[in-house]
Amino acid sequence: MQNDLFDSPASEPMQFSSAGFLLKQWLLPQATQLIDEVRNCVRLSPLRHFTTPGGKSMSVLSSNCGHYGWVADRQGYRYQRTDPITQKPWPEMPPQLAAKARQAATLCGFQGFAPDVCLINVYRPGAAMGLHQDKDEADFSQPIVSFSFGLPVTFLWGNTTRGGSPQRIELQHSDVLVWGGEDRLRYHGVAKLADGQHPATGNVRINLTFRMAQS
Ligand SMILES: O=C(O)CCC(=O)C(=O)O
Ligand SMILES: [Mn+2]
């Protein structure tokens, strides 16, 4: 990737896998505004630790905005229209967030991406996400678009089956990952977040994962 001087946003995606792309600092010009939009959403549907079907509390704090939200509980993993805490629909996906997700997908060669879910993940130091596949969506022909804000973290990029040592990708504030096609069901995760402070988010990392749950 040719990223120019002075840390300006990437104009070209960096391809790290057959159908996996990294847009370095691509959201930098809009980051403050986009983070404010996320803050508004979590005022309406608060951050919470989901419990896995196995009964473990996830270390990441989560919420959603959009037509659907991803939830986990003792019954399993699924998408639903209402927030189990508020019993109300999830907050509307802020149009500016949806537009940037769609634009990122297009830039990486995925046309027609219209996310109906934005899973909001907030990592505090010590939080991590184990290797998993995103496979609760109806249509795997649509990509995943993932925004990172705040503290840096190591993203783990595995294989389409469990096992092997994952590729490590350093993610920074305002980076975007897009993966789809033959890489859509890759195992991926996030290493434990190191302590730190970031001017945009304080001592957390915010991840937004845009998906099309229904085709
Ligand atoms: O935090 C990240 O970068 C990844 C999040 C993720 O993979 C997920 O929520 O499914
Ligand atoms: Mn995932």
Side-chain angles (χ1 to χ4, degrees):
M1 182 194 59
Q2 185 71 44
N3 201 5
D4 59 10
L5 295 171
F6 312 120
D7 286 343
S8 62
S11 49
E12 289 284 313
M14 188 199 81
Q15 188 174 3
F16 60 87
S17 186
S18 327
F21 304 91
L22 169 61
L23 289 161
K24 277 309 277 177
Q25 301 195 311
W26 189 72
L27 296 165
L28 211 47
Q30 301 85 21
T32 307
Q33 202 183 337
L34 297 179
I35 294 168
D36 281 348
E37 301 278 20
V38 175
R39 288 207 176 96
N40 290 337
C41 291
V42 302
R43 271 186 208 114
L44 297 169
S45 268
L47 292 164
R48 80 291 309 263
H49 293 283
F50 283 126
T51 301
T52 66
K56 286 197 182 138
S57 174
M58 292 178 69
S59 61
V60 66
L61 280 158
S62 304
S63 185
N64 292 275
C65 59
H67 204 61
Y68 293 94
W70 183 86
V71 300
D73 58 20
R74 294 303 291 237
Q75 277 69 55
Y77 303 112
R78 64 189 174 277
Y79 287 100
Q80 61 180 54
R81 297 283 299 274
T82 53
D83 177 345
I85 290 185
T86 64
Q87 306 280 324
K88 292 184 186 150
W90 299 100
E92 199 184 318
M93 193 184 305
Q96 219 209 339
L97 281 180
K100 291 310 286 183
R102 178 191 283 267
Q103 209 184 326
T106 305
L107 201 54
C108 298
F110 300 100
Q111 310 298 329
F113 182 61
D116 54 9
V117 179
C118 170
L119 169 61
I120 301 167
N121 291 315
V122 175
Y123 296 76
R124 292 194 177 122
M129 192 174 288
L131 288 170
H132 65 277
Q133 294 169 296
D134 289 358
K135 59 177 183 184
D136 302 315
E137 302 73 34
D139 178 4
F140 297 143
S141 71
Q142 293 295 334
I144 301 289
V145 174
S146 173
F147 292 178
S148 289
F149 295 111
L151 291 179
V153 83
T154 303
F155 187 81
L156 305 170
W157 183 246
N159 300 306
T160 44
T161 51
R162 273 200 184 280
S165 56
Q167 190 179 331
R168 299 168 76 84
I169 300 170
E170 302 308 321
L171 291 180
Q172 290 170 304
H173 178 61
S174 294
D175 286 355
V176 178
L177 287 177
V178 178
W179 69 91
E182 63 188 86
D183 284 333
R184 177 61 179 74
L185 290 175
R186 284 281 197 142
Y187 278 85
H188 59 278
V190 166
K192 206 180 262 195
L193 191 79
D195 209 349
Q197 282 290 330
H198 192 280
T201 62
N203 73 335
V204 301
R205 167 178 183 257
I206 302 173
N207 165 253
L208 306 179
T209 296
F210 297 88
R211 301 164 177 169
M212 279 176 75
Q214 299 297 322
S215 42

